[in-house]
Amino acid sequence: MAFSTLSFQALSLILFTLTILIVSLIRKKRNYWYSRAIPVAKGQSVLSTLPVCRLNEKHLTSYRNIAIETPIVGLHDAGKPCVLICDVQAASIVLSNDGFVEDTEISQAHTHSKIPNVITEDNMQVVMPAMAECVKELAVSLEGLANRKMTIAPWAALKRCASNTVATCVYGETMIDSRMKAFEELCNVAMKYEKTQTAGKHLISYENALSANCIKTMLCKAANIDIVDDEIRMDMFTFVTKAIEPTAALVTATLYELSQNSRIQSQLRNQLDEVLDEDLNNLTIEQLDRIPYLDSVIHETLRKYPLMPVIRCIVTKPYSIQTKQKTLTIEPGVVTLIPVHAYHHDKIHFTNPETFHPNRFPGQLSSAYIPYGSGPQSYIGKHFIGLEAKMIVAILLSKYEFTVDKRNPGKAPNPFDKSSFSEFRVQLSSRMARNCVMEQSLQELSKKNKLFKLF
C-alpha cells in the first residue's frame, strides 16, 4: 500500500513538473512575437508552439480574416516562429524581394535559376508537337472507356500523361515503356525526397538523349555550356518535379468543375468546335489562343484550386514592413507564409469566391491572383504547365463528355490535400455515341410523324 502511494506521488510530481515546463515553453514561444511588437494570430492553438504540433494550413484563411487590417501576424509551426502575410500588396513585395528564398534546402543552395529565362511562352512552340502527341495518346487510351460510359478516376491517367509529356519534351524523344517506367520511378523518388541534392542528380540520368528541340538543349544554350553541370541538373530537377503532379491536379480540378456544370462545359465545347478541326491534327498555340473561354476556365480553376495554396519563404536578411503606427521587422530564419488560397477566396477581390465562374476573367486578374506565385518564387514551369493543361482539356472535351455519376460521385479535389485528387470520379461518354443515339431517335420520330420530315 505504501509503495503504491509513493508511486502515485512520484507520478504526480513528474506530471506536475512536465506541465510547468510545457507552460513555460508555451509562454516563451508566444512572447517571441509580443517582444517584437508583432501581433499574434488569434485562434491558433497554443499547442502549435510545441515541436510536435504542425500548423494546419487550412486555417490560415480564418487567421487572415480576423487580422485583415494587419499586414502581418505571428504564428508558430512545430514550435518555430513564422509570419502570415495578410496584406496582398505586402505579399507581392515579399515574393519579388531577394531577401526571401523558397523554403527548401535546394533553393537555399541554388537560387540563381536559368530556367525562368528559358521556359517561356515563345519557347513552348518548340515542344508543342511532342506535347500534342502525348496528349493524343491519352485521349485514345480513354476511348474504350468512353464508349461504355464508364466512371473513372482520371488522376492516374493524367499523371502518367504528364510524366510522359515531361520526359518527351525534356529529352526530345519518345520514351519507350521500359525507360518510361524507370523515369516515373525516379520522379516518384525525387518528389518524395526533393529536399536533397542527391535526388536531383539521380533524377536526370539520361545524358546522351539530347535533341535539337528539347528542354535540356535550351538550358545548355542558355548556360553557354556543352555539358549539363550541377546547376543545370538542379534546374531540370525543379522543373520536372514541379510539372508533373501540378499539371495532373490542374486538369483533374478542371474536369471536376466541368462535370458539375454542363452549361459551362457546353459553352467551352462550342468554342472548341469552332476553332479545332475534327481530327485535332496540327494543333497549334495560335489555335488555343483563339479560344478565350478556355483561358478563362483554366484561370478560374487555378483561382479556386491554386497549385500552391500556401507559399513558404525563408527570410535571409532583416525585412521591415511599415505600418501607420510602427515598423514591423521580420528576422532572418523566420518562415514567411503567403496564403494564396485565402487571397483567391477573398470576397473583396473575387465576388462569390466559392462559385466556379470563368466569366470573371480576365476582368478580375489582380495582384490577389497568384496561382503560380510571382517573381523569383513563381513556378519555373508555369508556361509549360499552362499550355499542357489547356491542350489536355481541349482535346478531351472535343472528344468526350464528362458528367457526375450520381451512384459513384467520388470526392471533390481539395488543394490542401493532394491525395484527394485521386479520389475524384467522373463518368466519361463519347460524343460520337451521343450523336448516334440522337440521330437514331430523330429517325424514329420521323417515321412516326410524316409531317416531321428530317431525312
Side-chain angles (χ1 to χ4, degrees), residues 53-69:
C53 297
R54 294 305 307 268
L55 174 70
N56 190 333
E57 294 184 340
K58 294 181 181 179
H59 296 163
L60 293 182
T61 299
S62 61
Y63 302 149
R64 176 179 178 266
N65 290 342
I66 294 173
I68 194 67
E69 300 299 326

Side-chain angles (χ1 to χ4, degrees), residues 179-193:
R179 291 186 68 190
M180 192 62 225
K181 183 177 180 181
F183 178 79
E184 288 177 335
E185 290 175 352
L186 288 174
C187 286
N188 289 332
V189 171
M191 284 186 280
K192 186 176 180 180
Y193 302 104

Side-chain angles (χ1 to χ4, degrees), residues 63-162:
Y63 302 149
R64 176 179 178 266
N65 290 342
I66 294 173
I68 194 67
E69 300 299 326
T70 306
I72 63 173
V73 293
L75 291 164
H76 281 87
D77 182 15
K80 296 180 180 180
C82 56
V83 294
L84 177 66
I85 307 297
C86 300
D87 182 67
V88 171
Q89 300 301 327
S92 298
I93 296 172
V94 166
L95 290 172
S96 61
N97 193 297
D98 61 2
F100 295 81
V101 296
E102 188 180 354
D103 185 16
T104 66
E105 293 178 15
I106 286 177
S107 63
Q108 293 177 54
H110 178 68
T111 56
H112 302 291
S113 172
K114 294 181 174 63
I115 278 189
N117 300 321
V118 177
I119 311 301
T120 62
E121 289 183 276
D122 292 337
N123 278 338
M124 288 302 94
Q125 297 275 7
V126 175
V127 298
M128 177 82 173
M131 184 182 290
E133 289 302 314
C134 295
V135 176
K136 287 178 183 178
E137 286 184 15
L138 168 66
V140 171
S141 70
L142 298 176
E143 192 168 330
L145 300 173
N147 290 336
R148 289 179 287 167
K149 296 185 178 179
M150 298 288 289
T151 295
I152 65 170
W155 169 259
L158 291 171
K159 184 178 176 182
R160 180 166 180 80
C161 174

Side-chain angles (χ1 to χ4, degrees), residues 101-273:
V101 296
E102 188 180 354
D103 185 16
T104 66
E105 293 178 15
I106 286 177
S107 63
Q108 293 177 54
H110 178 68
T111 56
H112 302 291
S113 172
K114 294 181 174 63
I115 278 189
N117 300 321
V118 177
I119 311 301
T120 62
E121 289 183 276
D122 292 337
N123 278 338
M124 288 302 94
Q125 297 275 7
V126 175
V127 298
M128 177 82 173
M131 184 182 290
E133 289 302 314
C134 295
V135 176
K136 287 178 183 178
E137 286 184 15
L138 168 66
V140 171
S141 70
L142 298 176
E143 192 168 330
L145 300 173
N147 290 336
R148 289 179 287 167
K149 296 185 178 179
M150 298 288 289
T151 295
I152 65 170
W155 169 259
L158 291 171
K159 184 178 176 182
R160 180 166 180 80
C161 174
S163 298
N164 193 20
T165 303
V166 167
T168 302
C169 293
V170 165
Y171 300 111
E173 62 178 25
T174 303
M175 303 286 280
I176 60 175
D177 289 343
S178 60
R179 291 186 68 190
M180 192 62 225
K181 183 177 180 181
F183 178 79
E184 288 177 335
E185 290 175 352
L186 288 174
C187 286
N188 289 332
V189 171
M191 284 186 280
K192 186 176 180 180
Y193 302 104
E194 66 174 309
K195 289 189 176 183
T196 65
Q197 295 280 351
T198 55
K201 293 181 180 181
H202 188 54
L203 175 62
I204 309 303
S205 59
Y206 302 106
E207 296 294 341
N208 298 322
L210 279 174
S211 165
N213 296 326
C214 72
I215 293 176
K216 284 180 75 173
T217 302
M218 293 181 197
L219 286 171
C220 290
K221 288 181 178 179
N224 195 26
I225 57 175
D226 297 324
I227 301 174
V228 180
D229 63 6
D230 287 347
E231 185 177 348
I232 298 299
R233 285 176 182 272
M234 296 313 302
D235 276 335
M236 190 68 65
F237 163 72
T238 306
F239 168 73
V240 169
T241 56
K242 292 192 174 183
I244 296 175
E245 288 197 350
T247 301
L250 174 53
V251 178
T252 298
T254 303
L255 295 181
Y256 170 78
E257 290 295 342
L258 292 177
S259 68
Q260 301 289 316
N261 196 316
S262 59
R263 180 187 60 80
I264 293 176
Q265 185 176 161
S266 297
Q267 183 176 345
L268 176 54
R269 185 179 286 108
N270 290 339
Q271 285 197 15
L272 292 169
D273 289 346

